[in-house]
Amino acid sequence: MYRKEALGPGDVGKINYTSSINDDAEIFKYVVAALIVHVNELEKNGVLSEDEAAKIREALRGIYRDGYRPGEGFEDVHEFVEAELIKRVGPLGGWVGLGRSRNDHVATAIRLRLKEYVLDLMNVLVEFRKTLLNKARETADQLIIGSTHKQPAQVTTLGHYLLALDELTSDLIDLLMASYRVIDKSPLGAGPLAGVLTRIDRRREADGLGFGGVVNNSIYATGSRFFMTQVLAIIVSYLVEVGRFINNVEMWLMPQLNYVITDPSHLATSSIMPHKRNPATLEVFRARIGEAIGHLMAVLAIERPVEFGYQLDLQEATRHAWAVMRIAIDGISILKDFIEGVKVNSERVGEDLAKYPVTTAEYAEKVSISEHRPFREVYNEVARVIRSDELGKVLLDPVQIINEKLNEGSPNPNQVREEAARRLRSIEQLSNWILNNKNKLLSILKLL
Amino acid sequence: MYRKEALGPGDVGKINYTSSINDDAEIFKYVVAALIVHVNELEKNGVLSEDEAAKIREALRGIYRDGYRPGEGFEDVHEFVEAELIKRVGPLGGWVGLGRSRNDHVATAIRLRLKEYVLDLMNVLVEFRKTLLNKARETADQLIIGSTHKQPAQVTTLGHYLLALDELTSDLIDLLMASYRVIDKSPLGAGPLAGVLTRIDRRREADGLGFGGVVNNSIYATGSRFFMTQVLAIIVSYLVEVGRFINNVEMWLMPQLNYVITDPSHLATSSIMPHKRNPATLEVFRARIGEAIGHLMAVLAIERPVEFGYQLDLQEATRHAWAVMRIAIDGISILKDFIEGVKVNSERVGEDLAKYPVTTAEYAEKVSISEHRPFREVYNEVARVIRSDELGKVLLDPVQIINEKLNEGSPNPNQVREEAARRLRSIEQLSNWILNNKNKLLSILKLL
Amino acid sequence: MYRKEALGPGDVGKINYTSSINDDAEIFKYVVAALIVHVNELEKNGVLSEDEAAKIREALRGIYRDGYRPGEGFEDVHEFVEAELIKRVGPLGGWVGLGRSRNDHVATAIRLRLKEYVLDLMNVLVEFRKTLLNKARETADQLIIGSTHKQPAQVTTLGHYLLALDELTSDLIDLLMASYRVIDKSPLGAGPLAGVLTRIDRRREADGLGFGGVVNNSIYATGSRFFMTQVLAIIVSYLVEVGRFINNVEMWLMPQLNYVITDPSHLATSSIMPHKRNPATLEVFRARIGEAIGHLMAVLAIERPVEFGYQLDLQEATRHAWAVMRIAIDGISILKDFIEGVKVNSERVGEDLAKYPVTTAEYAEKVSISEHRPFREVYNEVARVIRSDELGKVLLDPVQIINEKLNEGSPNPNQVREEAARRLRSIEQLSNWILNNKNKLLSILKLL
Amino acid sequence: MYRKEALGPGDVGKINYTSSINDDAEIFKYVVAALIVHVNELEKNGVLSEDEAAKIREALRGIYRDGYRPGEGFEDVHEFVEAELIKRVGPLGGWVGLGRSRNDHVATAIRLRLKEYVLDLMNVLVEFRKTLLNKARETADQLIIGSTHKQPAQVTTLGHYLLALDELTSDLIDLLMASYRVIDKSPLGAGPLAGVLTRIDRRREADGLGFGGVVNNSIYATGSRFFMTQVLAIIVSYLVEVGRFINNVEMWLMPQLNYVITDPSHLATSSIMPHKRNPATLEVFRARIGEAIGHLMAVLAIERPVEFGYQLDLQEATRHAWAVMRIAIDGISILKDFIEGVKVNSERVGEDLAKYPVTTAEYAEKVSISEHRPFREVYNEVARVIRSDELGKVLLDPVQIINEKLNEGSPNPNQVREEAARRLRSIEQLSNWILNNKNKLLSILKLL
């Protein structure tokens, strides 16, 4: 539609090649909402009469209600909606091109959709934290052989491990709140690059769309994708750490260790080896985390040759944002379900605790302090004992050891339970923050 | 189906999460073909009677003819096909699980599909080379200001640039031929990891599927994805260089340069700025090259935590292979179309050749040789002239300059034309290689 | 030293292969400081007598004063310092192994060093912002042809572009403040994984090292590198956008555009073409941004196969963090210097403003509003004019246009100047935040 | 030196920022060699007299003999060498700037250095293969529990695993031979972009430097880095698979499995837990493989914004190539050493073979064939048995099982030994290829 007078009719194959029309299903709702807010603005500014504005709004709502079913040959959702509008209300529909361009419009819609995804993810993370914390309380005294270098290191508990994952998640949420503030600014009204002449109260438009503020500079508003990459980058950094926890679970599920038992719905077997118990869901999540790294790399690589201003290259980056968000939301949900059902196999852990000397550090600490001998001296002595046949001499009672650990953040079961309870209380506040922001975002629905 | 007796019925949500059923549409044909070859083998080995084998084969062909429309709840195409088979021929269908596993079967199907993609890409590359070479002949004397550091550097021609791109493509094809040989080996019959007891003539199965050989070791056959990453890595390395050529074209299309003119079907305009002529198709291809880097990164990241043997993580890697292949095939086709239609704007190039001193190197060379003075001395003299008002003194006639360039690989028009002709002749051989391999691959169709 | 009793003497070649001793120069200061704080703690807990603690502290200070010159054969700085300590004060030096391990110790030192780097970067960013904002005021009415798709789009000013870069930088700084809080927690006392028996007041140790708090969970404290990847990921996302601005500058420096003029110290020439003016410093910074992406990917790829707990793999990740920090600090400093010296070539910009129709959007807006005709209708009309010979009809006075732009964030010079002034005032607060945190960090120096 | 007349004296800080002088130590030898060949060419062409050429050559050899110790303020090795030359022989030294530029010169030196690295790597790979194959023969009947999904899957042998790694390495070497041919072409004489006027017999220069041919097109010769990225991409793809084998070894070394025993020189212990036996060397190699991925991504990211022609960005890519080559060479050497010393702990493997049902596939195969019942039916029956208490019914003798495996590529010990012997014989030919190419490369030394 846009190209006809300027460039001639175009070639359908090439338009399809460059079109984002399929990807745009993700933002259809927000594209229409932003147009309605924009029409409101044109009305308030006296450009459109009440009647004109009302007709356009009504048609836009109709387009939204009819769902997103664009045919071929459109460059993107923006062209589709405007064409559909003109089909429905005639040339009047051509008003929506005034005082906005696809550049600020798509940035607006992406930010809104991203806000929704981030809030959805935060909700999932809060539920995940509740699961982790409740399970941590439940398993605060269920021993696990903690490992480093994939080798038995020290005795700890499943609850203690879950608090680690929870603290990581808490750090992520702190970052996401700052990250959200970067996203939560409206680019609408910034025009294609250097603003528009039509008077637009950009703050009023921002309010209408539930944004917390506006992106000031029109070049930054339309040309940058920092608001998107920063949040993807943070999330991917988090997911990679979660993937490392899956490495632990995978290890604990090895029959030779068998330290934890999972609900069989998380397992799959082999088509030829009926004895196999493969941790399918976690393997897939771990793989998807690998994919998320790839998606981040894709976005960064796409941006490299692009100037500071809109180029069509940026359009191709957006789908990678949605992919990362879905990977995070779906995967954390799966992991939450896994953790809810997981059980420690205390018998197996107990057998291995009796077999592998995982309290030598503590033994050496005790001797060093009680006999007031420099630690390294005792350590070397213990090292020699371990190589001898008298290993038993340096084994301590694991339950007693974790109970004696009183420093902050230790596996001491009471401490773990108290810490979990403390964190659970602090989560409430967080839920409110999410709810408030979600409500602000959902206020858009009233427009439609 | 597989899991029922071993693990219980499973949870549809989680099965869907881990299922590759949608991605498997890519390999459906090859999955069925490999099963038919396997059934042939079981018959030849006397495990199946002629009648049993015929019944299974017939049902498999029916399944193939009916198209790929799996419902929900299947882990993958393998389970779907076996379930469908049993639905059609009863327990007899359960024979296809003997002497093969999903691990060797899927590796077989992926290799076959990848061969098809590589051959398709090679065909596109050959056509691309023909376009480049014919266009190079046509534009061997159409001047372009060659640039380095995005700054005018030396005078050359469009034809000379196209030969550069062609030589890059030729290097790629040489690599792809070696790469293809790595792919073109059959893993079928390798079982889940350490082989099967059922006697299978793996070479006969390989022949039946048109493979050039077999992967020997059964662990390597089923657990490695090197055959896939190596070809993706090579192609991505190539595409990144092609993306750099797009940077050139983008620059030449800037109105301020306007050195080349493109068919308007490759352009798009703005929704608000009717004067815009944006090189949309090439921007999208360049962005997709960025995506291809991301896909490669995804595959590498997926593989990192996986042992040397099959894990479900690997399943998630496959889709990235197809994505890269499509990016390459579609993008090179678009670029080929662009190059076919591109024209040099000789008037504009001429204006700028008169304005920017791009023959100072050649001027200094001439003076250095004719006056037998060390080059650096002359160079410094020329540098001073350039900073003065007497720039004209160091400008040479660009046409004469390129005609005087006689070293191999120079922009000399005659040389460019001869080189292009020479290369065009050498391509024939290549086309035969591709055709032969394609025919071998297509022989599979006779099975279906 | 550690390995001798447990594993035998070791092989120098392999110890060198696995050693981080060279990389550890980065953290030497903080490694010693953390040991002194730890010795203080052992004294306060009564494990060490005042005299013992004093002797060890004194020796540690001596080691620090003598500088970091480890010989071969040490696994890392921790082993080197302890060995050196024992060399200086005898077995007494072996006390420093009590109640801490390399795992919490190195995490402590990395966090401290990272804090220093982040604060240094923030200082550089604040100075960068001052440069941007002052230059924006200075160039608020110096026209530049704003581009999208590397094509002339709209008229704007250099000042307007600089405000875009400044707002990006401001968003980064907001994120870095949240990011810093994640880093600014002490892992000291967390032991190798599951804590130590020796009573350690972890908050007192944290205070002693100027940390804002403690990492609670000992597994998270020692095994995770999220504190590091999150900040790298954020910075890399920012740098990629900065690299895009370099793409603009590179374009503006093209002789054919020549929109800006740089101090020649940022240029380099060719060894053979004396006319070349290559923007060398910015090209190198842009390349280093590409490297920063690689460093981020390296860290993520390293972490993939590692469990949630320390593995030696993590050691190799650290150098990539320093590399990214240096790339950011050095590069932003270079870009700041560039911007300080850059001048708009108003004559050239003016020529091109007269040649390329970059006010068609505004023209169509004006007509649409004044004649009350739907925008698309006017747009199509303008598109036809542009294709005709009457281009002049749709050209508006660029100065007037930017003065008429009154919406928030437009290139209107008064607005740009006021916005710049407003932002300059807000930066003061930021400088205080950085100074306070820097002082807290530097308090460590009193220990040494 | 180059910049003085064109741009003024420059700023040392910025020159250092953009300088590659430190990285250039890697290519110093080849830079000098290429200059000598170039001087030869200028002499043969009659530009230089015999005496002039001899003086310059002699000085160049002196510079080489004196070693690479450039001071500050040089842009790169090229400027340093020319400046040094002029210092030694006066203005005569300025002749080396004729008929070549830094762009073709550095591409030549990089290709030569890369050839050396690739040949060194191939030598290491050949030695690695010999180790793998000899060890495979030695351990062809030493059982290992083969795993998929990190779960016991089938019984196999260490020898069988080693053949998998060897076949992977063989595939790599096949690719490297094609890859080497892409590298082994001379860009010398291509000038800065579009050739030089000075007559240069580029094939004679190529011969003089031991190249197999010339890069034809001068733009491709100087502006592309495909020759570098393709080989890095292939090697990284290989290393990632090797890293997966390290995942296996790490698993086998877990005390709970203890399937293999390593020489203690590959282990490290903890500073606080004297019982730890951490596989330090392999962890570091695995981490470095992660770094190699990062280096590849760095190169690709660097190239993205660069046009098809030299830009200084490319300079920054080179160091990543060397890094990848060193990671590969050092790491494979470490792994080779590990494999030479590794021993199977047959007692532990035997215990676990008696405990975990890893022959259920084979059991079901046997029953299916002998009773002529569809495999799936038997499989389901076996699945039920496994869940019952009668697991023993489906356990087969593992030694017998591997002996009964007769299909190509199975763990059958005789087959493994024969295959290993066959491959060992085929390696000889390979060694000759490497030796011949190495000799050709070393012929350069005669120039110096």
Side-chain angles (χ1 to χ4, degrees), chain A residues 111 115 181-188 202-207 209-216 440, chain C residues 167 408:
Chain A
R111 282 180 183 250
K115 282 171 59 178
R181 282 189 293 273
V182 169
I183 306 169
D184 190 24
K185 300 177 197 167
S186 171
L188 200 61
R202 291 188 55 210
R203 293 197 174 255
R204 192 160 54 189
E205 288 202 336
D207 284 346
L209 290 167
F211 275 109
V214 301
V215 188
N216 175 269
K440 249 174 101 181
Chain C
E167 192 170 356
E408 182 170 351

Side-chain angles (χ1 to χ4, degrees), chain C residues 111-145:
Chain C
R111 282 181 184 249
L112 288 168
R113 184 71 187 92
L114 195 52
K115 282 170 60 178
E116 186 184 340
Y117 264 127
V118 172
L119 293 172
D120 286 351
L121 174 59
M122 287 175 91
N123 263 327
V124 167
L125 292 169
V126 163
E127 294 309 309
F128 184 47
R129 288 197 62 192
K130 286 183 191 161
T131 292
L132 289 168
L133 293 169
N134 284 316
K135 193 82 182 188
R137 293 207 285 190
E138 196 185 310
T139 61
D141 44 20
Q142 298 186 15
L143 302 184
I144 279 280
I145 298 183

